[in-house]
Amino acid sequence: MNAAMVFDVSVPPPAMKIQWTSAGGVEGQLFTPEGGSHSLILFCTGFPGMGAAVFEQRHAAALCESGYAVYVLRHKGVKLSGRAAPVMVNNAARLMEARRKGETHLGGGPAVIEDWLGEPLEILRALSGDYESIHVIGNSFGALAALWSLSAEEAPLENIKSLIFLAGAQGVSDGTDTCVMRIWKPEFIGFPAITEKVDLGDPAAVAATLEKTYRDMPGRVRRNLPESISLTYVVVEQDELLRLSDTESFRDAIGGRGKIIVDKHNSAWPAYGLLAHDMPDYLTEDLLSILKEKS
């Protein structure tokens, strides 16, 4: 047998509990170390939400073994049947429950983009008192939702230590063809590869809400997001959707706040349907180094 294929089973990995749950009405998968944890990582998935399964496959259990509880949220409006449902939900028991109950979507039915922007806030309202420290990770659209939720005047921020954006869709809307709104065209939002996974209503209405969100975000962050919460932007050099200039424009708009890390390693995995934007090469060790720096 090839030595590389021999596994040492004399020391089993630490036990953990994995459960499908709901916090503040937002469903997701919670990974908890056997002995519990005082530190939570909230992962805010992107658009339309397949990044949740990618994060679970590549990082969640390893982060849990490193002592963190990890909540990976799922968007309201995710369809519970069809070819995409298993990867969007990534929990066979939840899908079986949906079939038994005749459920069609997470959250009970179609969603609107305002629901998605407020999901991190709803989870934090439910869980913030249970942990001494919380790190929020926003992936792609999830960065926008995390920023919007944490900059709400009523957000419970006492235990929030850091915001980490992985290929985050932060940016500014200034009316130019190169601003971040170039990726949020109604024809993209209404593309069949999106609508077969989620129900969000009229694509033009979604785009209009996002445009307003980008316009309002810098001022809202400057007013309401305490300086004690550190910001880290991991920008993928080969990202097919987002550019370094998007993050630089946003950082400038909020007063130069936050550290930019340019990731030069991630590339597309076309055979597996993954873009460089999906960060398939990103190592948990790299994420842990950011988390430990911010703890």
Side-chain angles (χ1 to χ4, degrees):
M1 180 182 293
N2 188 321
M5 297 298 293
V6 177
F7 298 92
D8 181 3
V9 295
S10 61
V11 181
M16 70 185 73
K17 180 180 180 181
I18 304 173
Q19 62 183 124
W20 188 271
T21 187
S22 175
V26 182
E27 296 186 60
Q29 205 139 234
L30 177 63
F31 297 71
T32 309
E34 185 178 45
S37 177
H38 298 295
S39 297
L40 174 71
I41 294 170
L42 170 59
F43 180 80
C44 306
T45 191
F47 190 104
M50 288 183 66
V54 174
F55 187 83
E56 288 175 347
Q57 292 161 1
R58 284 165 166 75
H59 305 297
L63 292 170
C64 190
E65 287 189 3
S66 297
Y68 296 95
V70 182
Y71 195 106
V72 184
L73 72 79
R74 298 306 197 277
H75 291 311
K76 297 177 182 178
V78 167
K79 294 181 178 180
L80 289 167
S81 61
R83 293 176 296 177
V87 71
M88 292 294 288
V89 176
N90 200 31
N91 186 296
R94 181 64 183 92
L95 292 173
M96 185 167 64
E97 178 187 34
R99 293 190 294 270
R100 179 172 58 84
K101 293 182 175 180
E103 295 177 288
T104 58
H105 304 76
L106 293 181
V112 293
I113 197 66
E114 289 87 348
D115 292 328
W116 288 18
L117 289 166
E119 285 168 340
L121 176 59
E122 297 306 316
I123 293 172
L124 291 172
R125 282 172 170 163
L127 297 181
S128 62
D130 297 338
Y131 297 93
E132 295 176 4
S133 63
I134 299 175
H135 302 274
V136 180
I137 297 175
N139 170 230
S140 192
F141 165 86
L144 194 64
L147 281 164
W148 190 255
S149 285
L150 269 68
S151 62
E153 292 184 359
E154 68 275 21
L157 302 179
E158 295 81 6
N159 298 327
I160 308 296
K161 303 301 181 184
S162 69
L163 262 170
I164 301 169
F165 307 119
L166 301 180
Q170 61 278 338
V172 297
S173 176
D174 59 12
T176 65
D177 292 337
T178 57
C179 79
V180 73
M181 280 305 297
R182 70 185 182 277
I183 70 170
W184 295 116
K185 304 296 185 185
E187 54 267 32
F188 161 68
I189 297 167
F191 193 65
I194 304 295
T195 58
E196 72 176 357
K197 300 176 179 72
V198 298
D199 270 335
L200 267 181
D202 178 19
V206 173
T209 297
L210 291 176
E211 197 276 333
K212 184 177 186 304
T213 300
Y214 278 108
R215 280 193 284 110
D216 294 346
M217 186 74 80
R220 181 174 162 125
V221 168
R222 289 195 305 268
R223 288 191 305 272
N224 299 333
L225 193 66
E227 292 283 343
S228 59
I229 299 175
S230 68
L231 306 182
T232 303
Y233 315 87
V234 181
V235 176
V236 176
E237 188 174 58
Q238 299 183 54
D239 199 313
E240 300 88 347
L241 303 176
L242 297 164
R243 303 167 182 166
L244 176 60
S245 59
D246 295 320
T247 292
E248 291 174 333
S249 296
F250 175 76
R251 188 173 68 163
D252 290 345
I254 63 169
R257 182 176 169 188
K259 176 183 179 182
I260 296 176
I261 299 171
V262 178
D263 175 276
K264 298 178 180 293
H265 304 294
N266 279 279
S267 59
W269 292 18
Y272 296 90
L274 295 171
L275 303 174
H277 177 72
D278 298 313
M279 302 185 71
D281 298 296
Y282 195 60
L283 300 180
T284 306
E285 293 90 329
D286 295 328
L287 182 52
L288 281 168
S289 69
I290 297 174
L291 288 163
K292 289 175 181 176
E293 179 183 311
K294 306 303 179 184
S295 296

